[in-house]
Structure formats: C-alpha cells, structure tokens
Amino acid sequence: ELFDREYIPNEILVMTSVKSEDEISSLCRQMMEIPEVLSATNLRSTAYSFRSTMQVVNAAVMIIILSAAMLAFVVLYNLTNINITERMRELATIKVLGFYDTEVAMYIYRENIVLTLIGILIGQAAGNFLCQYLIRTVEMDIVMFGRHALLQNYLMSVLLSLIFAAAVNLVMYFKMKNIDMVQSLKSVE
C-alpha cells in the first residue's frame, strides 16, 4: 500500500525442531538445490558469528577506553607539573607569606578544576559527534546499531575525568608541599 505496488514475497522463514547444526546445514544444502532458492541462512550460526564479532569489538573498545584514560592522566599530570614548575617562585612566595599547604595547593587546583570542566564540556560535544559518525560508518546493510549513547555513558565519562583530575591533584599535592622556599626564591629570573 505504501509504495502503491503489489506485495511479492521474496523470503521465507523456515522453523524446524532440528537442534543439530549438522542437520540444519544439511537442510540448508537441500534447500539450495531448489532452483528458485538463491540462498539459505542458518540464523543460529549467524547470531553466533555476530556475537563472537561483537566480543572482539568490545575488546577493542576496552583497549581504546584504557588508552584514552592513560592519555588523560598523562596530559593532566604534565600540564599540572609544568604549571607548578613555571610558578615555583610564586608558590614559594605564597608559602613564605604564611599560607598553608592546602591553600597553596588550591591555588593550582582551581585552575585544574576549571580546565577539567571546560575539557568535559568540549569532550561531551565532540564525543557525541564522534559517536554518531562512528556508528554510521560501521553500520552494514544487515546490521544496524543504536545511534545514541546512553546517559549513563556520558555520566561515566564525566565521572572518570573528575577522578583522573582528582588523582593528579593528589599526586601533585606532595610536589607542592615539598617546594624548597629558599632555593626557589634564590633563583634568578
């Protein structure tokens, strides 16, 4: 009705009580001997093949996620380390003026928190675009994937980003705590 044409069936679903894969394969071969039959597919073996393929894809996705997590940690660590190293005199001056270690740390942490939140916002938008592009790219005629990531996936990425930022801040706290005030203030700029 929709296409204003007569419906002509071109596929048939055959259900059988046969459980053995060998017998099902034999039935498929027998059906292929009929001149009108162009192909015969065992849905059980197709589903098994699809599941095993998806397991490989899931393993690849986990490797990508772990690599991205390590990259995020290294980038945050290096940025914070450079920030502290470049501002050593400034931090030493603040410590000499009587600020506590946590106050000195919060001086750097505020910047890290703001940069992390900006990175999360940009990453969510870019990640959504990349998700859409990737799904459209890998889809095949016989298999379609959901094109939208779940809200829990977005929340998990935000949570992981915040955990990495907190871990870097914790590691760098000890570096800031051990700043040698005399050496830092003696250095010539």
Side-chain angles (χ1 to χ4, degrees), residues 46-87:
T46 303
Y48 175 77
S49 174
F50 180 74
R51 272 192 226 100
S52 62
T53 302
M54 290 311 295
Q55 286 176 347
V56 171
V57 170
N58 286 341
V61 167
M62 285 307 297
I63 290 170
I64 290 170
I65 289 171
L66 291 175
S67 299
M70 289 186 295
L71 179 65
F73 186 82
V74 168
V75 167
L76 282 170
Y77 179 85
N78 284 337
L79 287 174
T80 306
N81 193 26
I82 290 169
N83 193 4
I84 291 170
T85 303
E86 291 292 322
R87 298 168 72 183

Side-chain angles (χ1 to χ4, degrees), residues 4 6 18 21 28 30 32 38 46 48 52 63-64 69 78 94 98-99 114 117 124 129 132 140 155 160 168 187-188:
D4 211 17
E6 182 184 344
V18 175
E21 289 295 322
C28 286
Q30 289 174 6
M32 289 298 294
L38 298 177
T46 303
Y48 175 77
S52 62
I63 290 170
I64 290 170
N78 284 337
I94 292 171
F99 283 79
V114 168
L117 293 176
Q124 293 296 322
F129 171 76
Q132 297 292 323
M140 299 173 276
L155 294 176
L160 287 174
V168 167
S187 66
V188 178

